[in-house]
Amino acid sequence: MWEYTNKVQEHFLNPQNVGVIEDADAIGEVGSLSCGDALRLFLKIDDEERIVDAKFQTFGCASAIASSSVLTELIKGMTLDEASKVSNKDIAEALGGLPKEKMHCSVMGQEALEDAIRKYRGLEAAPAPEGEIVCKCFGVTDVQIKRAVQENKLTTLEEVTNFTKAGGGCEDCHGRIEEIITEILTGEAAKPAPEPEKPARLTNIKRFQLVTKVIDEEIRPALNKDGGDIELIDIDGHKVIVSLRGACVGCPSSGRTLKDFVERRLKETVEPEISVLEG
Amino acid sequence: MSAYLDNNATTMVAPEVREAILPLLGDEFGNPSSMHRLGGQSGMLMEQARQKIAAGLNCDPDEIIFTSCGTEGDNTAIFSALEAQPEKRHIITTRVEHPAVLNVAKHYERKGYAVTYLSVDSNGLFDMDQYRTAFRPDTALVSIMYANNESGVISPIQEMAEIAKKHGVLFHTDAVQAVGKIAIDLKTLPVDYLVLSGHKIHAPKGVGALFVRKNAPFRPFMLGGHQEHGRRGGTENLPGIVGLGVAMELAVEHIDDENTRVRAMRDRLEKGLIAAIPDAIVNGDMEKRLPNTSSIAFKYIEGEAMLLMLDQFGIAASSGSACTSGSLEPSHVLRAMGVPFTFAHGSLRFSLSTYNTDEDIDLVLKELPPIISRLREMSPFRRGDEGLDWVDDHDH
């Protein structure tokens, strides 16, 4: 059994601010059913950008529920500028600490808050995570790992997994995560990757073959791991029309899956001009 | 009021077992290897326990080696079979084994062995054609669990062992979950190695037994003194062994109760939950299943949260969700069965024993539905998200 603090247990068994704000000014979303935890954060914000109400819906374990509950308590009354400085460490500290394996629950709170603020400020969705996707199972990039390592002074692979989930699936990326940690700890920047060769302009047939190959060999297996699936409907010039299947259907993060994973990967591997649309 | 429904994890020590052990923690503390009277008395008690276990499995007492646990038995059996046939470098096992087997297979894979992992279907059943075609000239061992600890699904061990025999391949079965729940007759079941664990059948933790058929190759895993005829070094855990002997006698005595009253309680629990809670499924084949085990999954919520809320009412169960293990992925057994993540994260396992009562089932049927309603109200996911109507009328 996890050693949860009294504060975690209190917030889990009697969570504060559960529910929906029907006329919310901002809604932050993070996680998915397939990932095992998800948080939807509702904010009511006054004219002076002060959070006057906050509510949440959480799918997840006791620490995910407790993190969501304490987050809403923390940010009520804050201005958006103040709230934007709330970190996962603040959430964990407000709970009297979390088991190290559960730190990603506090990170989920921080990310949902960031998402809500971003949307309130006119950005429809979180920008695609910058950098290379290191952990394909959970879609975590090197930039996200570096941020977690630097902000939380992480030194081991296990800690990175606890905070970001990266490396918690198939384990193929463990070597790369350890390289990133070493780069940060030693201060040595990673050697710049050689400039990729500029691909020749693709014919329609070649583009179709390449898109099909990447979807079949890389994208579909990754989605299958989470119980999801994808079907290629059509390719119209640089527009790739797909349909999500399985657990991806109804997942609140399906938009991000399409943009941050499917489109991003096709841009990287086929043509940078490609855009992915759901048919 | 409380209800312990986590017997596949561990069982309470039976009162008769406790009574049998207590003198060994007092005056009867002799070492079975000692030559004096105190040692001789211990040695006699140990051999009596060996006979009781052999009687329960219908084998020869000499074919029983005492171990510290199921994991040691599994490791020893696999090690024995592979070390004895160094020229053979292929193992057949399954994707749903306990880590005591799965991690050993992975260990040998890293050492260059080829391993065939048999798949299961959505009911947790094996494809026998896949099994039949898995054999190779260099197959050293088949290792297949008798019954799955999570789904309770029973493997066709008799048929699988007979097929292995036809190929001249050694057969090991991890029977930790099967012993005490279904009858096992080693005179007719052609396995070479079979493993059981004391704490799953109401003996204390820290004791187990390994059956090694006469003439099956054996290589000691623990090297030391001459204990167990040189097959397992180390001073024997006499209280555990004596307790295991009594527990085996009780297990044989209770097997009818397991398959009638316990099965009926399990079925009532399952039917009651499925009727009361929408979007719930039972994992595993409904027929070929241990009588005490029910793995049920509830959509849109997560297992650990359910377990901790159940714990508030004194109800102990377990979950295949990722969060209960510290892993980030749910149970490998449920994933191998193709249970969607949407259900796998919200899985609960109830495992009963002969000591459970109807009141235990009533308690779960009373407390679990409102817990699920409460967690689903907290969840951002709903039936409506999939174009279905969300109907849930429980009070909370």
Side-chain angles (χ1 to χ4, degrees), chain A residues 25-269:
Chain A
D25 296 303
I27 300 173
E29 290 175 317
V30 66
S32 70
L33 247 174
S34 52
C35 284
D37 43 28
L39 166 58
R40 191 177 284 162
L41 178 68
F42 301 86
L43 300 182
K44 192 73 190 153
I45 300 162
D46 70 10
D47 293 342
E48 292 168 354
E49 289 205 334
R50 191 169 293 278
I51 297 169
V52 291
D53 198 7
K55 286 185 185 282
F56 76 92
Q57 292 178 313
T58 291
F59 162 75
C61 57
S63 50
I65 291 169
S67 293
S68 308
S69 168
V70 85
L71 170 67
T72 56
E73 291 286 90
L74 280 173
I75 60 176
K76 270 196 203 176
M78 283 184 177
T79 63
L80 288 190
D81 283 343
E82 289 166 342
S84 64
K85 296 188 183 85
V86 170
S87 70
N88 72 290
K89 278 194 279 191
D90 297 324
I91 295 168
E93 278 170 19
L95 290 169
L98 282 168
K100 59 184 171 42
E101 294 86 352
K102 299 283 191 171
M103 284 304 288
H104 60 85
C105 295
S106 64
V107 175
M108 183 168 76
Q110 180 186 357
E111 288 179 353
L113 178 60
E114 286 172 353
D115 189 48
I117 293 172
R118 219 171 13 239
K119 284 176 181 165
Y120 181 78
R121 290 183 167 158
L123 300 164
E124 270 304 301
E130 292 170 12
E132 58 165 314
I133 293 179
V134 173
C135 171
K136 287 180 183 163
C137 297
F138 291 100
V140 188
T141 69
D142 62 338
V143 175
Q144 290 171 301
I145 292 170
K146 283 174 188 168
R147 179 184 172 188
V149 168
Q150 284 164 336
E151 287 184 358
N152 297 286
K153 299 184 170 49
L154 310 181
T155 58
T156 65
L157 166 67
E158 186 191 353
E159 287 174 339
V160 168
T161 304
N162 291 338
F163 276 75
T164 67
K165 289 193 167 187
C170 70
E171 304 182 1
D172 283 354
C173 57
H174 281 188
R176 179 68 189 120
I177 294 172
E178 281 174 337
E179 276 175 22
I180 294 170
I181 296 169
T182 306
E183 281 167 22
I184 292 173
L185 291 180
T186 60
E188 284 183 25
K191 286 178 188 166
E195 278 288 312
E197 278 184 35
K198 203 163 186 174
R201 185 168 177 77
L202 297 176
T203 63
N204 286 337
I205 290 176
K206 186 69 184 166
R207 182 181 298 119
F208 183 84
Q209 287 172 335
L210 276 175
V211 167
T212 306
K213 184 173 188 288
V214 174
I215 286 179
D216 287 347
E217 293 181 2
E218 189 179 325
I219 293 172
R220 180 171 296 114
L223 297 180
N224 286 166
K225 279 186 181 169
D226 292 343
D229 205 345
I230 189 168
E231 187 181 340
L232 177 61
I233 305 290
D234 200 1
I235 298 178
D236 179 9
H238 290 110
K239 288 180 193 162
V240 175
I241 297 126
V242 298
S243 184
L244 292 173
R245 299 274 188 261
C248 295
V249 177
C251 169
S253 301
S254 61
R256 290 179 69 173
T257 302
L258 278 182
K259 288 291 163 191
D260 298 353
F261 177 52
V262 181
E263 182 176 286
R264 181 189 174 81
R265 203 62 199 129
L266 291 175
K267 279 174 181 288
E268 286 169 355
T269 52

